[in-house]
Amino acid sequence: MISVGIRLTDQVFPGPEEPIAVFPGGTENPKQILDGIDKEGVAHIKRIILNRTANVEFLRAESPSRIWVRLQNHITDTTLTFREPFPLKSKLEIRKDGYALAPIDERVYRRCRIIETENENGLIQIFFIDDATTAWVKSECLAIMDEHYMFYPWQAIQISMFGVYPSVVDHSGKLEQLWSIQTCNKLSQILRAFPILRVQVALSTVVFNDYAKPIPVKLFGIPPGVEEREYHYRAMSISQILEGGLPMPAEPEEEAKDDVDSDEEEVLETGPSVRKEEVDNKPPEIVCMDLYDAAFHEIFDVAERDQIPTEPLDIHCEFPKDWKESDDAEEEEKKEKEEELYSKDSLTVKLEHADWDPRLNKIEMMTVKELGEKFRFSEDDKEPRIMLAVEGRCTKSPYEWYARPIVKTGKNKREENVAWGTDSDLREVDETDWMLYGNDQLTSVAEQLDTFYSNTKNRKPLRTVEIQAMMQEKRDVFAVCAVNEEKANYTGEWQRVLIVNCDQFAEVRFLDSGGRDMVLTSSLYRIHEQ
């Protein structure tokens, strides 16, 4: 699908401003541009591409063609906000489209992208990629972004109102389609009135190879006080409100009264009122059309540009000289842990910590023969068979799928019960109950792992060089992996894994929940003997 989109966008549409993948040409498949710093020293950070309906929060509206939103479960305020103590170093190399950390508030840093290098006033234009705000700063206030934080996508998402166009206006003696400042301000006011927005991504016959292209959506507002189960039928169309076909959402009485008073004051100050006939005859500022293919959705500019400041804010002038990089107590504890774990001249774990040694700690993998001996069904069957509960979400192909054996117990199955770790007095039940029982076992193990590894003293990193050294020795390398929140909700935060391959990333196989995935090597820890 991406290759089709790349071919079409290269031939029919203008070249991508910020490509998602590179297309070598000919019959070769496209190659996705990976996060992090490439061989040429250029930094890349992916963006979130919406492809279905989502609930978001409003950040900023430049115009109906360019609106910035953020998913409700964003990680800006937690993982991607940097306060003291945190190791920050001044950024010396300023490169257009490069990434850095910049102060968004007093002694609070967040990720940003450098849009323009120094102008005549010595200011650099930056864009906060998680907050969708622009600032003009001095280069002295910027800090280096560690490559680790380049593997988190932009939290800010750029969308565009699908089927909404500006009317043709006379701008500086020329007829142009541009958004007026009044329309942009009105849109911002409308969107701020809704605590939650719902975006419905418009279908397109073309997959665009461009992160910088806003995502065409049908935009709806969820009025205040509406419960989640009522979102679908209580949502209000933003385009209809902007066009004037729908009223704004009801406001609290006190705020509404204040607004009425202020409106009355404005009427008194502005003099004679405008006649209704004049208002009705005023040409519309926007045009809403029923369109079905987002491939040809157009983006329009704003009639007026923001003025460039001549002086930066105080927080954007220089790097804090007294910035505290580390907590003394934490640094001392970290040093003690390193001394405990490693000898000074070797990567080998000290002998007294053999219970953490990955060369010794192995998880025995069951063979097909052992599977047949322990979990074979022979009673009341013409042919012996093994029953498995297949993990459908982990199925890759007919040749790679993951399953857990279903245990069948009876009066004479005490030996199998002991081997499986079950109660010997469990009576024979149907396969569904055993599937549920197996899931309970998985949950129980996950809770034990979470309890053990949630204690920072039990988390001992497994370094890339160690993994690669053991793999060169033809050893199976087992570890514990910290998984993301979405997967952790079902399988637990800490999972036992077998490391299949290790380079810039590690390919791991999840031993208990099934499946394979690519993970950061920094998320791998030594597995304890027990």
Side-chain angles (χ1 to χ4, degrees):
M1 195 68 174
I2 290 179
S3 62
V4 173
I6 290 172
R7 289 189 177 93
L8 284 174
T9 51
D10 284 349
Q11 295 172 12
V12 181
F13 301 97
E17 182 182 334
E18 188 179 346
I20 300 171
V22 290
F23 182 57
T27 58
E28 292 185 53
N29 289 324
K31 296 180 180 179
Q32 188 172 28
I33 298 173
L34 300 178
D35 287 338
I37 300 173
D38 62 18
K39 295 178 181 178
E40 298 176 359
V42 179
H44 302 279
I45 301 180
K46 290 189 179 75
R47 303 198 197 185
I48 297 172
I49 301 176
L50 298 177
N51 53 22
R52 59 182 176 82
T53 302
N55 298 326
V56 297
E57 59 183 41
F58 171 64
L59 291 177
R60 186 167 68 97
E62 299 174 17
S63 70
S65 292
R66 297 183 183 276
I67 302 169
W68 291 92
V69 297
R70 189 164 59 191
L71 293 174
Q72 289 183 294
N73 62 342
H74 66 91
I75 57 172
T76 305
D77 300 326
T78 52
T79 308
L80 302 176
T81 298
F82 309 98
R83 296 182 174 87
E84 298 173 278
F86 186 83
L88 285 183
K89 294 182 180 179
S90 297
K91 187 173 181 64
L92 301 177
E93 182 185 3
I94 305 299
R95 176 187 292 187
K96 189 177 185 299
D97 293 333
Y99 290 93
L101 298 179
I104 197 168
D105 201 352
E106 189 73 33
R107 306 182 82 85
V108 178
Y109 275 69
R110 280 187 180 163
R111 303 188 301 170
C112 72
R113 189 178 199 178
I114 298 169
I115 306 300
E116 295 291 344
T117 52
E118 285 192 5
N119 60 11
E120 62 274 10
N121 297 320
L123 299 181
I124 296 171
Q125 186 184 16
I126 63 170
F127 179 80
F128 288 97
I129 62 176
D130 302 316
D131 304 272
T133 56
T134 304
W136 290 87
V137 304
K138 291 278 190 183
S139 60
E140 289 81 359
C141 78
L142 299 180
I144 297 172
M145 183 194 299
D146 188 276
E147 189 176 8
H148 170 79
Y149 295 101
M150 295 179 186
F151 294 95
Y152 296 97
W154 289 32
Q155 299 298 291
I157 305 169
Q158 190 179 30
I159 61 174
S160 181
M161 293 179 66
F162 180 55
V164 179
Y165 296 84
S167 57
V168 179
V169 296
D170 185 356
H171 181 70
S172 302
K174 292 174 61 179
L175 291 177
E176 293 182 307
Q177 268 188 293
L178 296 172
W179 293 112
S180 67
I181 293 296
Q182 293 77 14
T183 300
C184 297
N185 291 340
K186 182 180 178 182
L187 175 64
S188 294
Q189 181 185 3
I190 292 170
L191 295 178
R192 286 195 197 97
F194 293 98
I196 299 172
L197 300 175
R198 170 164 281 200
V199 296
Q200 182 180 332
V201 178
L203 298 177
S204 172
T205 55
V206 176
V207 178
F208 284 94
N209 179 37
D210 194 355
Y211 276 131
K213 187 175 179 63
I215 303 169
V217 302
K218 293 181 180 179
L219 190 58
F220 301 89
I222 308 298
V226 175
E227 296 182 6
E228 187 173 355
R229 56 189 173 86
E230 301 176 341
Y231 283 0
H232 179 69
Y233 56 87
R234 292 285 299 275
M236 301 175 68
S237 171
I238 300 299
S239 60
Q240 291 185 25
I241 298 175
L242 189 62
E243 196 179 21
L246 281 178
M248 287 279 287
E251 299 178 355
E253 293 184 4
E254 293 184 3
E255 294 182 9
K257 185 176 182 302
D258 292 341
D259 291 342
V260 170
D261 293 342
S262 62
D263 290 342
E264 289 176 356
E265 291 174 4
E266 288 178 7
V267 170
L268 292 173
E269 292 173 0
T270 53
S273 60
V274 180
R275 287 186 300 171
K276 184 178 184 301
E277 291 79 5
E278 294 179 10
V279 175
D280 293 339
N281 293 330
K282 186 179 178 182
E285 293 184 351
I286 70 167
V287 177
C288 294
M289 303 173 64
D290 290 330
L291 301 176
Y292 301 97
D293 187 0
F296 297 92
H297 176 71
E298 294 184 68
I299 304 297
F300 299 93
D301 293 328
V302 182
E304 299 178 30
R305 298 290 181 185
D306 294 335
Q307 293 184 346
I308 300 174
T310 56
E311 293 292 333
L313 299 175
D314 291 341
I315 61 171
H316 295 151
C317 288
E318 61 181 359
F319 189 84
K321 295 178 180 177
D322 57 344
W323 179 270
K324 193 174 182 181
E325 291 196 354
S326 62
D327 184 29
D328 295 338
E330 288 183 4
E331 197 66 27
E332 188 65 30
E333 185 180 354
K334 183 179 177 182
K335 188 176 179 181
E336 289 177 1
K337 284 183 178 181
E338 288 180 353
E339 289 178 354
E340 283 180 6
L341 192 56
Y342 298 106
S343 58
K344 293 181 180 179
D345 56 350
S346 173
L347 294 174
T348 308
V349 182
K350 287 186 177 181
L351 293 176
E352 59 264 36
H353 294 282
D355 51 351
W356 292 99
D357 190 346
R359 285 178 168 80
L360 301 177
N361 296 338
K362 296 183 179 181
I363 300 172
E364 294 299 327
M365 311 295 283
M366 187 176 293
T367 64
V368 176
K369 183 180 179 182
E370 291 172 336
L371 186 67
E373 290 174 352
K374 293 184 177 180
F375 302 108
R376 178 173 296 181
F377 281 65
S378 56
E379 299 172 0
D380 304 325
D381 287 332
K382 293 181 180 179
E383 294 181 3
R385 57 178 179 159
I386 301 168
M387 298 195 70
L388 305 169
V390 178
E391 295 287 352
R393 61 185 174 80
C394 301
T395 300
K396 301 286 184 184
S397 71
Y399 308 101
E400 181 183 353
W401 44 276
Y402 298 84
R404 281 175 287 154
I406 294 176
V407 184
K408 186 175 183 181
T409 61
K411 295 179 181 178
N412 300 321
K413 295 286 182 178
R414 179 178 179 83
E415 186 179 343
E416 285 85 342
N417 288 332
V418 173
W420 182 244
T422 61
D423 243 344
S424 60
D425 60 351
L426 283 172
R427 296 183 180 181
E428 187 171 343
V429 291
D430 63 22
E431 290 80 2
T432 304
D433 286 337
W434 274 111
M435 288 174 65
L436 295 173
Y437 177 74
N439 187 69
D440 290 341
Q441 277 196 316
L442 178 65
T443 305
S444 175
V445 172
E447 288 176 355
Q448 292 177 40
L449 287 167
D450 284 355
T451 302
F452 187 80
Y453 283 95
S454 61
N455 186 345
T456 54
K457 292 182 178 180
N458 294 332
R459 293 205 292 265
K460 305 187 185 300
L462 188 58
R463 297 191 285 186
T464 305
V465 288
E466 292 181 275
I467 299 171
Q468 293 173 341
M470 285 186 284
M471 296 190 81
Q472 287 177 0
E473 298 170 6
K474 307 297 183 183
R475 295 175 180 269
D476 287 335
V477 186
F478 296 92
V480 167
C481 179
V483 300
N484 58 47
E485 289 183 8
E486 184 178 355
K487 187 178 180 69
N489 290 334
Y490 301 97
T491 63
E493 184 179 356
W494 301 96
Q495 287 285 297
R496 300 191 304 170
V497 298
L498 169 66
I499 301 173
V500 180
N501 194 13
C502 183
D503 193 4
Q504 290 181 335
F505 298 91
E507 182 183 3
V508 300
R509 172 186 163 189
F510 295 97
L511 298 179
D512 300 314
S513 57
R516 284 185 295 118
D517 203 357
M518 298 293 289
V519 300
L520 294 172
T521 54
S522 59
S523 66
L524 297 174
Y525 296 86
R526 295 173 179 275
I527 190 166
H528 191 269
E529 182 184 33
Q530 63 181 309

